[in-house]
Amino acid sequence: MTKEEKYDLVLALTEQMKEYGNFYITDTSNLTVAKVNDIRRKCFDADIKMQVTKNSLIKKAMEAAGGDFAPIYDVLKGSSSILFSKSATAPAKLIKQLRKAGDKPVLKAAYIDSAVFIGDNQLDTLTKLKSKEQLIGEVIGLLQSPAKNVISALQSGGNTLAGLVKTLQERG
């Protein structure tokens, strides 16, 4: 690989890190070409971009992206693949599915909306993460709940202040 090709690859990785905001670094060493191609196909089907690249280039891309990636640098050893996805949980779910058939890929690290997860033992946690949209929806639901109780109490005949208080107390 020429110096210019390496530069282009680092630039592309940097852009993907910024664009997606989520990426996973996995160990796919000792897998056959057929198995890696199968993983690539499954990644494509799950709308996940997979790139096998050198650790030094991944590190340079992280440095260029400007986030706090320092905890990830220690796991950049051996063979690494990087998975990009708009969904924070899709790569973790795919890795779990793939692991039913074998012991690879192994999760080295994940970067999800500025949070760093190190090690394969984080896989279960990553599969259970809620998306930003789900969390916002839950917060909105919690905020709407008291207002709905007041409106409901007013509509159920508690048009006086005493009736409203009584209705709200009955509902807990």
Side-chain angles (χ1 to χ4, degrees), residues 10 37 63-64 69 78 81 90 99-100 103 109 116 132 141 145 162 167:
V10 168
N37 286 339
E63 290 169 348
F69 301 109
S81 299
R99 295 279 286 281
K100 291 177 183 176
D103 60 346
V116 176
K132 196 180 291 186
S145 184
T167 305

Side-chain angles (χ1 to χ4, degrees), residues 91-110:
K93 290 176 181 176
L94 178 63
I95 292 169
K96 271 193 97 154
Q97 177 191 349
L98 293 168
R99 295 279 286 281
K100 291 177 183 176
D103 60 346
K104 298 273 176 126
V106 173
L107 177 67
K108 291 182 175 185

